[in-house]
Amino acid sequence: MLSKNQLITVVVTTIGGLTAAYLLGIPLILGFALGFATLTLYSRKQGVAWSTLTHAMRDGATHTLEVVWILVMVGLVIPTWTLSGTIPYLIEQGLQWIHPAYMVTLTFWFAALFSMLLGTSTGTLSAVGIPMMGAAAIAGVPLPLMAGALVSGAFVGDRTSPFSSAHRLVADSTGTTVSRQYPAMAPTTLLGLGAATAFFLFMDLNGSWATGSSVVHLDAFRQQFTFSPWLVLPAVVLIGAILFRLKTRYAFMLSIATAIVLGVWLQDVAPMDWVRSMLFGYENTALPSLHTKGLLSMLDLVLLIALAGSYNGILEATRTLEPYMVALMGQQPSLPSATVKVGLFGLALGLVSCTQTLPIMMAGRNVLPLWSSRFPKEQLSRVIADTALVFAAMVPWNMLAVLCGTILGVPVHEYVPYAVFLWSLPLFTLIVSTLMRRRYITYVENKKAG
């Protein structure tokens, strides 16, 4: 176990390096490598064998393979959907079916419903977010605002859907069940939905989303692409595959293959054009709004995610953080106090670990023995779902936030101020805990008496 000073040094070095890299615009992996090297060095000084460390690094990196696959697939799906005509066609349909005056609010609810159905934020942002970002660019909606609405909607399901792996992980980590944690999460869910809807509606009512220029852009789309209802198939295949619980990377592969078949048939795309777009991104001087990045632009992010996985592997194998979590909680915290401490622990893990999984698991497992002696387990589920789970989409170097920003083409720090559903939940969960404080004082008294 690292000493207190060593742990502080690791945390400060990791967060400082990542922050500096993010602000300077250099690859995040360079900043993260400082924290990784510091953690490795201190672990060795504490007597952890190299064989243990290398095994932990390998296991941690292996656990990121699914995320790496998704990032690679995103690097391929966006240019193939664009080159095939799918994205231009979906943009046209979106502008026709969604009233421009309420585009942001309706997009938020559209993404929320899709995410509840799919149970995945990345799948929702790929199927709904990519075309809606294009529609927003044409209609004149600020892209960070639209990205905030989409990420907010995507995380409604990521946090709440019974099909979401994160939602189920919260239940497993807190020793409760999905059916029992739903009622506990309902108050903050409704408050978060209400706050986000009110905010996006306010922005819609006070915005001046242009519609006249849309016609010009759509005419340019029609000159470059052959439109057909068949072009919705890549999105339908992606959604259908996820609904049938196919692994996300295989769902993306099927969607990419479908887009290529349609592109060859309808747009007469040559083989080398497919290769060029998938590697370097789609570019068309006549349609700059459709420019995308390709697979090669994802390589530095893939390396960052693999290194973050190794970092997490060391933390888990050495059980570095567990004793400090017990000390942080104290012996007899009130419900509001415990809520704040669990939230801060989840935030700290989100800043350091670069994952969504580790904060959920560690906050749940380490807090559970002390929490369950004073409060119901499902209330811990609520707190973790409203803090550790959603913080992952707000930390710029977190793997999930990186995926969100990459899919939508908007940096994390630009969409976070508009992702109201995410940052309102920690506030609402503290309010709910404060209102419930008296009830759980009685709960503890009854438990001691019984």
Side-chain angles (χ1 to χ4, degrees), residues 78-96:
I78 297 176
T80 53
W81 277 25
T82 305
L83 194 58
S84 69
T86 292
I87 287 180
Y89 182 75
L90 292 176
I91 289 173
E92 182 194 52
Q93 294 301 304
L95 289 172
Q96 289 182 3

Side-chain angles (χ1 to χ4, degrees), residues 284-308:
N284 187 328
T285 54
L287 299 171
S289 63
L290 292 180
H291 286 186
T292 67
K293 294 181 180 180
L295 180 61
L296 294 181
S297 65
M298 303 294 177
L299 292 182
D300 59 333
L301 297 179
V302 168
L303 293 175
L304 171 65
I305 287 170
L307 190 63

